[in-house]
Amino acid sequence: MEYVYPAVFHANDDGSYTITYPDLPGCISEGKNLANAMYMAQSALTQWAEYHADKKLDLPIASQAKSIETGDREFVNLIRADVKDGRAVKRTVSIPRWMNDRVAASGLSLSRVLQDALEQRFQ
């Protein structure tokens, strides 16, 4: 699921930025420079949304960026987060017997190997 929320970036005296989300109480982050602040803003939003989704809490409706008032040394930017449902799902898979024997002999977790391979493929 994708979420887009406006974030307020406040420029600090040392060149760092403090990021707040007017619609998301407690969702705050910092970045040591603007590029890092953009990354940290997305990370904070993703973690906030994942937590609320995991707890089955409703996410508030996002404000329009133009409706957010800013002070001196502040600007608003839209931040996007892509939240994936990380819950495990049982699937039945078929593999050749020789592969199954080698997996068992090596002590590997077939589920972990499959997850790693699929994650790599989808990147």
Side-chain angles (χ1 to χ4, degrees):
M1 175 141 288
E2 291 182 346
Y3 299 97
V4 177
Y5 280 89
V8 176
F9 289 74
H10 175 80
N12 299 312
D13 291 336
D14 63 357
S16 68
Y17 288 83
T18 301
I19 307 117
T20 59
Y21 287 88
D23 302 313
L24 310 176
C27 189
I28 301 169
S29 192
E30 291 184 291
K32 57 187 170 191
N33 54 44
L34 185 55
N36 181 248
M38 297 297 281
Y39 173 81
M40 296 302 291
Q42 184 178 35
S43 178
L45 175 57
T46 300
Q47 290 177 28
W48 198 93
E50 285 175 343
Y51 173 82
H52 282 73
D54 185 51
K55 298 293 182 188
K56 297 181 177 34
L57 301 171
D58 292 331
L59 276 75
I61 296 172
S63 298
Q64 295 292 319
K66 63 184 174 189
S67 70
I68 297 173
E69 293 185 29
T70 58
D72 290 341
R73 303 176 67 176
E74 291 183 335
F75 66 92
V76 175
N77 198 54
L78 293 176
I79 303 297
R80 177 187 163 276
D82 186 16
V83 177
K84 294 176 176 48
D85 185 348
R87 294 177 291 178
V89 176
K90 281 196 162 242
R91 298 285 310 251
T92 302
V93 298
S94 298
I95 60 172
R97 180 173 300 279
W98 70 266
M99 281 185 187
N100 187 60
D101 293 345
R102 292 207 43 199
V103 166
S106 67
L108 291 171
S109 162
L110 184 58
S111 292
R112 178 80 263 154
V113 171
L114 179 59
Q115 287 177 43
D116 291 346
L118 288 172
E119 187 172 322
Q120 187 174 15
R121 169 159 276 180
F122 294 140
Q123 288 182 353

